[in-house]
Amino acid sequence: MKVAVIGGGSTYTPELVSGLARERERLPVRELVLQDIDAERREVVGGLAARMLERDGFGGELVVTEDLDRAVEGADFVLVQIRVGGQEARLSDETVPLACGCIGQETTGAGGFAKAMRTVPVVLGIAERVRELAADDAWIIDFTNPVGIVTRALLDAGHRAVGLCNVAIGFQRRFAERFGVEPERVELEHVGLNHLSWVRAVKVDGVDRLPELLETDLAELSVEAELPPELLRALGAIPSYYLRYYYRTREVLERQTHGTTRAEEVAQIEHDLLELYRDPDLAEKPQLLERRGGAFYSEAAAQLVASLASGTGDVQVVNARNAGAIANLADDDVVEVAARVDTDGAHPIPVAPLGQDMLGLVQHAKAYERLTIEAATTGDRPLALKALLTNPLVPDAEAATGLLDAILDANREHLPRFA
């Protein structure tokens, strides 16, 4: 089996290497390729990956390269974890919207729109090389944000793709620890979209323990979600961390306007991680990596690849076509739900329809996502404006028009279609 990692110079890569090593019985990897356009990152991250694999007794070949075609040629799995424009573009995503009175965030709101506009064309270009050069039945696993939008763009273009985020596995591991059981005994009813999702059931050995959690752990869950306890009680569900942007918009905006951006924090963490990675004696992922925001990333990634390869039918939360799983959403919508994974892909497990409170927000976001993909792939400015107008976190036409001008200006080198 050949596995190619596009964006292999990411500071997340040691997480991924660790996960693949743990799944070696189900994943007989003969060749692992780390591809990246950044020479320094390739050298530093590739060096740590080599030491980790040697320590774990990896019997295959590790290739570190800039050449995309070399990476994907003959690959069975292509994992995409790129950041178009790097941390500088992320800083733009988190600050440009603030000047227009809107939330600045890299995956939601106007910042997420800017990132999607930069990212979708690049990922589709990579996918075309995969179609031409990789194994006939190769899978593209997308970790690149915004995952829901990127995954839909891939599927709409006819690629074999599944999107993955670590939010759901983070919930699963947190509740497994809470109840003192192995993670595989915890099953979530996780519903919604990437970075816009809720947990409606927490089943431990088949018994839903969510009512108990909302009674005994409400204060702690409230702090983790940064949402009022009475809101969680009213929802009867646990919102993902990202719902605070929608439920507490004004408060978050005020905090962002007068605080330090997450982009600045991450840039410093990445700098420190790369310095650690240079240590020739380091042969394991450092603890600092947990602060990067990729908790359980390696487990989620390795489990998904292993299930697609072995066809074991494991249940995992992924981003895939709805296909009737949530009855009051369109079949072709890309949703984030539990799915049974085998060699034919991820098959979403049917759940109860979304309540009206969740449905309204999800449908609003889905309309925005569709328009954003079309704008990103065509370079159509009126469509881009419509996409921003439709974004739940953009308040009106004046803000949308100002944002579009500012985003196109800040991302000029990455948006040639709009030149």
Side-chain angles (χ1 to χ4, degrees):
M1 180 185 301
K2 177 178 178 178
V3 176
V5 182
I6 311 305
S10 167
T11 52
Y12 280 138
T13 296
E15 273 275 5
L16 182 59
V17 170
S18 175
L20 292 174
R22 279 194 301 274
E23 289 281 358
R24 72 182 73 193
E25 291 186 9
R26 290 200 295 167
L27 283 176
V29 179
R30 60 173 173 79
E31 183 178 1
L32 174 62
V33 184
L34 305 182
Q35 183 274 345
D36 205 286
I37 60 175
D38 187 309
E40 181 183 13
R41 281 176 172 266
R42 281 200 314 271
E43 178 183 357
V44 173
V45 177
L48 174 56
R51 296 190 297 273
M52 292 176 67
L53 291 170
E54 181 180 7
R55 183 201 63 180
D56 291 335
F58 177 59
E61 179 185 8
L62 173 67
V63 176
V64 181
T65 182
E66 180 183 15
D67 188 342
L68 176 64
D69 287 359
R70 167 68 181 86
V72 303
E73 185 175 10
D76 300 287
F77 290 91
V78 178
L79 284 57
V80 183
Q81 52 174 32
I82 65 173
R83 181 181 291 279
V84 180
Q87 292 298 330
E88 183 179 346
R90 176 175 183 166
L91 182 60
S92 172
D93 295 343
E94 295 186 6
T95 54
V96 167
L98 297 179
C100 298
C102 295
I103 291 285
Q105 212 279 328
E106 65 157 346
T107 61
T108 62
F113 167 81
K115 185 170 189 180
M117 295 289 279
R118 291 192 306 270
T119 305
V120 165
V122 175
V123 173
L124 289 178
I126 292 168
E128 284 304 314
R129 301 309 294 160
V130 173
R131 197 199 305 269
E132 294 176 18
L133 298 172
D136 291 340
D137 58 352
W139 282 101
I140 297 173
I141 310 298
D142 178 63
F143 307 117
T144 300
N145 281 317
V147 168
I149 292 177
V150 174
T151 301
R152 170 146 195 165
L154 286 166
L155 293 172
D156 286 352
H159 299 289
R160 282 164 57 91
V162 181
L164 187 64
C165 177
N166 68 337
V167 167
I169 194 172
F171 271 129
Q172 183 202 39
R173 298 307 169 90
R174 182 241 192 271
F175 296 137
E177 182 179 1
R178 162 66 176 79
F179 290 113
V181 300
E182 296 80 8
E184 54 269 23
R185 292 170 58 186
V186 178
E187 179 185 342
L188 303 180
E189 186 178 296
H190 179 107
V191 297
L193 312 180
N194 178 242
H195 291 186
L196 205 168
S197 59
W198 301 262
V199 173
R200 297 193 305 189
V202 180
K203 296 181 180 178
V204 180
D205 297 332
V207 178
D208 185 10
R209 308 290 292 274
L210 179 60
E212 175 185 341
L213 285 169
L214 290 175
E215 183 65 31
T216 61
D217 294 35
L218 184 61
E220 185 177 347
L221 292 169
S222 170
V223 170
E224 291 174 1
E226 294 190 23
L227 293 170
E230 58 269 21
L231 177 58
L232 271 64
R233 188 181 292 112
L235 290 169
I238 301 172
S240 79
Y241 174 82
Y242 292 89
L243 264 299
R244 69 192 181 103
Y245 296 111
Y246 300 92
Y247 291 155
R248 302 185 81 169
T249 307
R250 286 181 296 177
E251 182 179 335
V252 172
L253 179 58
E254 175 71 15
R255 193 185 313 162
Q256 288 186 340
T257 303
H258 298 98
T260 302
T261 66
R262 174 62 176 163
E264 292 171 298
E265 296 174 2
V266 169
Q268 184 60 52
I269 292 170
E270 289 216 324
H271 173 272
D272 295 344
L273 282 171
L274 289 171
E275 288 302 307
L276 289 173
Y277 292 177
R278 294 178 197 276
D279 181 355
D281 295 324
L282 182 68
E284 61 184 6
K285 60 179 183 180
Q287 188 172 0
L288 178 61
L289 186 53
E290 295 177 8
R291 289 180 53 203
R292 177 63 183 83
F296 309 116
Y297 164 66
S298 62
E299 287 93 332
Q303 286 176 14
L304 178 56
V305 173
S307 297
L308 288 167
S310 62
T312 45
D314 302 349
V315 174
Q316 298 169 38
V317 174
V318 298
N319 284 259
R321 294 283 196 205
N322 180 40
I326 302 176
N328 48 356
L329 293 181
D331 286 350
D332 67 343
D333 281 341
V334 167
V335 296
E336 189 168 273
V337 294
R340 198 164 296 282
V341 183
D342 58 26
T343 55
D344 292 324
H347 312 282
I349 298 170
V351 294
L354 295 178
Q356 292 301 307
D357 57 317
M358 297 177 183
L359 180 63
L361 183 52
V362 167
Q363 289 182 325
H364 195 167
K366 290 309 299 183
Y368 149 74
E369 289 185 0
R370 296 186 196 101
L371 287 167
T372 298
I373 293 169
E374 191 174 357
T377 54
T378 62
D380 187 303
R381 187 186 177 99
L383 273 174
L385 179 59
K386 288 180 182 179
L388 275 171
L389 280 169
T390 311
N391 189 295
L393 293 174
V394 177
D396 55 33
E398 182 180 359
T401 302
L403 278 166
L404 182 58
D405 289 340
I407 287 169
L408 293 181
D409 183 60
N411 291 275
R412 191 179 298 114
E413 67 175 297
H414 303 298
L415 299 176
R417 287 175 172 82
F418 289 87

